[in-house]
Amino acid sequence: MGVTRLTRHMFLWSMAIIYMFAFASLYVQIPGLYGNEGVLPVRLVEPRVNGSRPVLEQIHAHPSLLWLGPRLGLDLDAQQAMELLCLAGALLALGAALLEPLRDSLVFFCLWALYLSLCQVGQDFLRFQWDSLLLEAGFLTVLVAPLNLLRCATFRHHDAVTFWLARWLLFRLTFGSGVAKLASHCPSWWGLTAVNHMFEAQGIPLPWSWFIQQLPDWYLKLGTVGLLVTEIAVPPLYFAPIRSLRLAAFYIQVCLMFLGNYGFLPLLSLALTFSLLDDDHISYWLGHGKKKRTKTWPQTIMSLLVVLAVFAVIIYGTKVLFTLEIDWDARTITSKTAFTQQQFGNLLKLVTGPTIWVGVLSLTWEVVIALFYKILSDWSWCFPHPQVPYSSMEQVYSSKILPEVRQAYSLVERYRLVSAYSLDSRMTGVAGRSEVILEGSMDKNTWTEIEFMYKPGNVGVAPPVVAPHQPRLDWQMSQAAQGLAKQSSWFTGLVHCLLQGNKDVVRLIQTDSAQYPFSQAPPVYLRASLYRYWSGPNEWWRRDYAEEFYPAVQLGDPALEAMLNQHGLKEKFPIQPSPDSPLAQVLRQVRGHVQTLPGHLVLWSLLATVATIWLLKTLLSGVLGGRKAKPTPAEPKAKKAKDQSAEKSASASSLKAGRENSEESRRDADKSPKKRK
C-alpha cells in the first residue's frame, strides 16, 4: 500500500459522516421549505417527464433523479420524492460510516448524485458555497475511493494522484478565500478591522462570539492580520516537498475551521486537510509509534533549518507588509496595511499563474511516483477544469485560459463539479449587525415578535451551537437583512405561509409550539422590521430599530398577491392529494417521528449513534480478540514431513510392541498352575 492509506481511509470516513449530516439536516426541513404548501414548493419547479426524449438527454438537460420517480413506478408527490432521496442518502452514508466495504466509489457516486439531484431543485436554500463545496469534494471522493464492490483487483486501490486533487481543492478554497478578501476592496479587510465585526455579523453567531468581541481592538486587528496571512501565505506550503512544512500547514489550517456556525463546512474543510498528512503521522496519533528513522542527522538538521527559514520569511514579510510594531509602554501591537490596492492587484497578476504551476509541478511529482499504477487516463481530465474558477479571481489571467479547458469546464458546469470560493470576502455589520424581526398581530395595533430558534432575536438569549446542522431559513433571514425583501421570492412565500398558519413552516421557526405566539391561531397581519444588533455590555445583545423591512400585509392583500404572482408562487393548479401507496405511508410514518425534534438534536443523535456503535465494535473486537488462542508459528515443510514420518514409525513400533507384549502375556497365562488345573 502507499503512504496515504490511513489518510485516505480517514478522508473517506469523514466524507461519509458529512454526507450523513447534510442529508439528515435537509430532511428535517423539507416539509417547511419545499412541501406542497411550503415556502418554495418543489412541485412548482420539479422536472417534468417527457417520454419522447431519451433518458440520457433528459439527465443532461436537468441532472436530477426526481423525474425518474414516475418512470420507476413510484407513486409519490414531489415532497415525498425529496424525502425519499434524503433518507436514502442519509442511510447510505450511515452505512458507509459504519462499514468499511461500503466506502466504495460506487457508493460515493450514488451519494453525489442524490445530493446533486436535491440541489437542482433546492433554489435559494441550497445555493450556499458549502453546498457547492460538498458536491465538488464529493465527486473527488468518487475518484479517491476504491472499487471494492466490483471485486476488481486492478482498481481495488487508487494511488496518491487522485488524493492529490483533494489537496488542490483545499488550496483553492483557502487561498481563493484569502485573496478575495483583499480583492473585494472591502474597507474592513484593508483597515484590518474585519475580525472586530466578523464574529458578531456571521449568519448564526456562536456563544463565544460575545467574549471575542470584548477583546481589545489591537488584539482583534492582529487577528485580522493572522487570518489574512494564514489564508494567503500558508496555502502554498500544501505542496512543499518537506514533510514538516505540510504538517505545520495542517495544524495552522485546523485552527481556522471552527470559527463560526457554518453547518458542515468546518468538517468538510477538515476532511480536505487530511490530504496534507501521511500514514506515519496518523499512526503516531493512534499510538502505534513511528517507523524507523530513514533520515540521517545532517538531513534532519537541514530540513529543520529550511522550515525555520520559511516561517522566518513569512513572519518577516508579515511585519513589513502590515507594519507590525510593539508599543512597550501601552503593551500593545500596532498594525497597518503597508501596500495599496493597486500594488496588490499587480501582485495578484504575477502570482496567479505561478501558483497554478506550483500545483502542476506537485501533480507531476505525484504522477512520476504513481506511474506503476497505470491509471493516468482516470484522473488527467479532472485537473484542468478547476483552473477556470480558480483563475477567475484575476480576470487578466483568466482570459488566457486555454479554450479547450474552458470548453471542458462549460460541459461539466451544470453538474457543479468545480466552483469558485470566496468565504467572507466582504464584511458586513460594520455599522451593526442587520437583523430582520417578524411581528404578527390580530388587530394591527398590538404586535408580537416571532422568535426563531437559532438566529438572533431576543437580546437576552445566548446564540446556540447548531453545527453541523444547517438551519437554512435562519441563514436566509440573515442574508435577507442585507438586501430588500421584494428581491427575495422565498421571503414573500414565508410571509404567505405564516399568514395561512402552515404548521410545517412554523416548525422551521419553533419546533416547540409553546414558543410560537400564534400556535392557536395564525396572525391576521404580519410585518417585518430591520434592527441593528451589537454585542451588549451586560446582555448578549443590544439593538436599535432601523427601518421598515416589509409592510404590514394580510391574506388577500393586493400587494402580497402581486408579489406572489411576480415570483411564480401563486398557485395555478389545485394541489393534488398526496398518494396513499405503501411507500408513501412509510415516509409519512418516518416524518411523524422526526417532525417534533429540532434539527440539531436529530444530527447529534445520529452522531451519538455512530459513536456508540463504533465503541461497541471496538469493545467486542477487543474481547473476542483476547479470547483467541495465539497461533503456533509455521514450521518448514521438510521438518513437518520428517516429524510426521517419525510419528508414523513411532506409532507403528508402539503397535508392534503392544502386540508382542499381549502374546507374551497370553503364553504366560497358559503356563500358570491355575490354567493347567
Side-chain angles (χ1 to χ4, degrees):
M1 294 300 296
V3 295
T4 59
R5 180 178 178 274
L6 291 177
T7 53
R8 283 199 297 265
H9 280 309
M10 291 187 64
F11 173 72
L12 296 177
W13 181 83
S14 301
M15 289 300 299
I17 293 291
I18 293 167
Y19 267 123
M20 180 186 69
F21 286 151
F23 282 114
S25 176
L26 181 60
Y27 172 77
V28 298
Q29 305 175 75
I30 284 179
L33 295 179
Y34 303 110
N36 293 330
E37 299 179 358
V39 177
L40 291 176
V42 68
R43 57 187 171 80
L44 300 179
V45 296
E46 68 172 326
R48 303 299 178 184
V49 179
N50 187 351
S52 61
R53 297 178 63 185
V55 175
L56 294 179
E57 184 179 342
Q58 293 192 50
I59 291 178
H60 181 70
H62 195 105
S64 177
L65 298 176
L66 287 177
W67 60 267
L68 287 179
R71 285 180 174 266
L72 299 177
L74 299 178
D75 189 13
L76 301 173
D77 58 24
Q79 173 188 338
Q80 292 171 338
M82 286 193 71
E83 292 182 352
L84 180 61
L85 294 184
C86 269
L87 285 177
L91 292 176
L92 192 59
L94 177 61
L98 296 176
L99 302 174
E100 184 175 346
L102 289 181
R103 292 170 216 153
D104 184 84
S105 183
L106 294 178
V107 172
F108 282 110
F109 178 79
C110 293
L111 292 173
W112 174 82
L114 290 171
Y115 202 76
L116 175 65
S117 301
L118 296 169
C119 289
Q120 289 295 324
V121 297
Q123 305 169 78
D124 292 338
F125 293 109
L126 277 170
R127 291 175 182 168
F128 294 105
Q129 292 196 52
W130 38 88
D131 293 314
S132 300
L133 182 62
L134 178 56
L135 286 174
E136 184 171 355
F139 188 77
L140 294 183
T141 308
V142 177
L143 303 177
V144 173
L147 281 169
N148 290 326
L149 295 180
L150 294 182
R151 304 289 182 182
C152 183
T154 305
F155 299 97
R156 185 66 58 84
H157 300 290
H158 289 185
D159 55 59
V161 177
T162 52
F163 200 35
W164 179 93
L165 296 173
R167 188 184 305 178
W168 176 250
L169 175 57
L170 176 66
F171 173 79
R172 287 173 42 223
L173 172 66
T174 310
F175 186 74
S177 298
V179 168
K181 289 176 172 58
L182 294 178
S184 64
H185 307 298
C186 177
S188 296
W189 289 110
W190 282 92
L192 304 182
T193 60
V195 174
N196 299 52
H197 316 288
M198 185 174 67
F199 292 93
E200 183 180 73
Q202 60 187 235
I204 300 178
L206 289 162
W208 49 86
S209 298
W210 184 90
F211 299 97
I212 295 177
Q213 293 298 128
Q214 313 308 314
L215 295 174
D217 288 340
W218 70 267
Y219 193 88
L220 295 177
K221 290 185 67 176
L222 190 62
T224 306
V225 173
L227 184 59
L228 291 173
V229 171
T230 302
E231 290 188 345
I232 297 177
V234 174
L237 301 182
Y238 299 166
F239 309 106
I242 299 178
R243 176 175 178 264
S244 301
L245 289 175
R246 298 194 302 271
L247 293 180
F250 167 80
Y251 285 107
I252 293 174
Q253 181 65 29
V254 169
C255 295
L256 299 179
M257 292 180 183
F258 301 97
L259 299 179
N261 267 328
Y262 293 103
F264 51 81
L265 176 62
L267 298 178
L268 192 51
S269 301
L270 180 62
L272 293 174
T273 56
F274 290 145
S275 61
L276 305 177
L277 302 179
D278 51 37
D279 285 1
D280 288 346
H281 203 69
I282 301 298
S283 299
Y284 177 74
W285 283 356
L286 300 176
H288 298 160
K290 292 185 177 180
K291 294 183 179 180
K292 294 182 180 180
R293 184 185 298 272
T294 58
K295 290 184 179 181
T296 62
W297 281 108
Q299 291 175 333
T300 303
I301 294 176
M302 182 62 65
S303 298
L304 180 60
L305 291 177
V306 171
V307 172
L308 292 177
V310 169
F311 281 99
V313 170
I314 293 177
I315 294 173
Y316 178 77
T318 303
K319 180 183 182 301
V320 173
L321 293 176
F322 295 99
T323 58
L324 299 181
E325 299 290 344
I326 301 178
D327 188 344
W328 296 105
D329 296 332
R331 297 182 179 180
T332 61
I333 299 178
T334 60
S335 55
K336 182 181 178 181
T337 305
F339 52 93
T340 64
Q341 296 181 4
Q342 181 64 35
Q343 291 174 334
F344 177 77
N346 294 334
L347 179 63
L348 184 59
K349 294 178 182 178
L350 294 176
V351 303
T352 302
T355 52
I356 291 181
W357 282 109
V358 167
V360 171
L361 293 176
S362 177
L363 176 63
T364 304
W365 174 254
E366 297 290 349
V367 171
V368 172
I369 295 177
L371 280 178
F372 295 104
Y373 288 86
K374 298 180 181 179
I375 59 168
L376 194 61
S377 59
D378 290 340
W379 54 262
S380 59
W381 60 273
C382 301
F383 175 72
H385 311 326
Q387 293 181 5
V388 178
Y390 169 71
S391 62
S392 63
M393 64 186 180
E394 204 291 295
Q395 297 300 327
V396 174
Y397 189 82
S398 179
S399 61
K400 299 178 182 179
I401 295 294
L402 293 175
E404 294 80 4
V405 176
R406 186 173 296 278
Q407 183 179 3
Y409 170 73
S410 63
L411 292 177
V412 300
E413 187 176 7
R414 70 179 62 202
Y415 299 100
R416 298 172 71 172
L417 298 182
V418 287
S419 302
Y421 306 101
S422 56
L423 301 177
D424 296 325
S425 59
R426 295 195 64 87
M427 187 52 56
T428 60
V430 177
R433 173 192 176 89
S434 299
E435 201 64 59
V436 176
I437 301 299
L438 283 173
E439 296 174 300
S441 175
M442 306 301 292
D443 55 6
K444 211 175 182 178
N445 294 320
T446 303
W447 295 89
T448 303
E449 181 177 333
I450 298 176
E451 295 184 16
F452 285 64
M453 284 187 292
Y454 304 114
K455 82 176 191 68
N458 190 336
V459 295
V461 177
V465 177
V466 300
H469 176 52
Q470 178 65 48
R472 298 182 180 271
L473 179 60
D474 294 68
W475 264 94
Q476 284 290 4
M477 289 291 291
S478 299
Q479 297 295 320
Q482 312 304 323
L484 298 176
K486 295 181 180 179
Q487 299 175 354
S488 305
S489 59
W490 64 268
F491 194 89
T492 300
L494 173 64
V495 171
H496 187 247
C497 290
L498 293 179
L499 289 173
Q500 291 178 324
N502 186 292
K503 293 183 179 180
D504 292 329
V505 178
V506 170
R507 291 191 187 98
L508 294 176
I509 299 175
Q510 289 288 347
T511 54
D512 185 5
S513 59
Q515 302 297 323
Y516 187 69
F518 301 99
S519 57
Q520 301 299 324
V524 178
Y525 300 93
L526 202 66
R527 71 180 184 185
S529 302
L530 191 67
Y531 282 79
R532 304 291 183 189
Y533 276 68
W534 297 270
S535 295
N538 300 318
E539 291 186 301
W540 291 100
W541 300 102
R542 62 182 179 88
R543 71 180 187 183
D544 293 330
Y545 175 83
E547 60 185 7
E548 181 186 77
F549 185 78
Y550 200 89
V553 293
Q554 61 179 334
L555 290 177
D557 191 300
L560 179 60
E561 295 294 323
M563 282 188 284
L564 290 173
N565 288 321
Q566 176 185 351
H567 298 302
L569 299 177
K570 190 65 177 176
E571 189 59 47
K572 300 179 181 179
F573 305 99
I575 301 176
Q576 300 297 325
S578 299
D580 199 29
S581 62
L583 182 57
Q585 293 179 6
V586 171
L587 291 175
R588 279 195 290 268
Q589 289 180 359
V590 174
R591 172 61 59 189
H593 291 292
V594 177
Q595 65 183 3
T596 58
L597 299 175
H600 65 282
L601 290 183
V602 174
L603 267 64
W604 291 351
S605 300
L606 281 175
L607 181 61
T609 301
V610 173
T612 302
I613 294 176
W614 269 103
L615 181 60
L616 291 176
K617 286 177 61 177
T618 303
L619 293 176
L620 290 176
S621 62
V623 171
L624 296 177
R627 292 181 179 179
K628 291 181 180 179
K630 294 183 179 180
T632 57
E635 298 179 352
K637 292 184 178 180
K639 183 178 179 181
K640 188 175 182 180
K642 186 184 295 184
D643 292 343
Q644 290 179 352
S645 61
E647 290 178 359
K648 290 181 180 179
S649 57
S651 60
S653 302
S654 61
L655 289 175
K656 184 177 180 181
R659 285 197 298 269
E660 292 176 353
N661 291 335
S662 61
E663 291 177 359
E664 291 178 359
S665 301
R666 194 164 48 251
R667 287 195 297 269
D668 292 341
D670 293 339
K671 295 178 180 180
S672 63
K674 291 183 179 181
K675 184 71 175 174
R676 289 195 299 268
K677 291 180 181 180

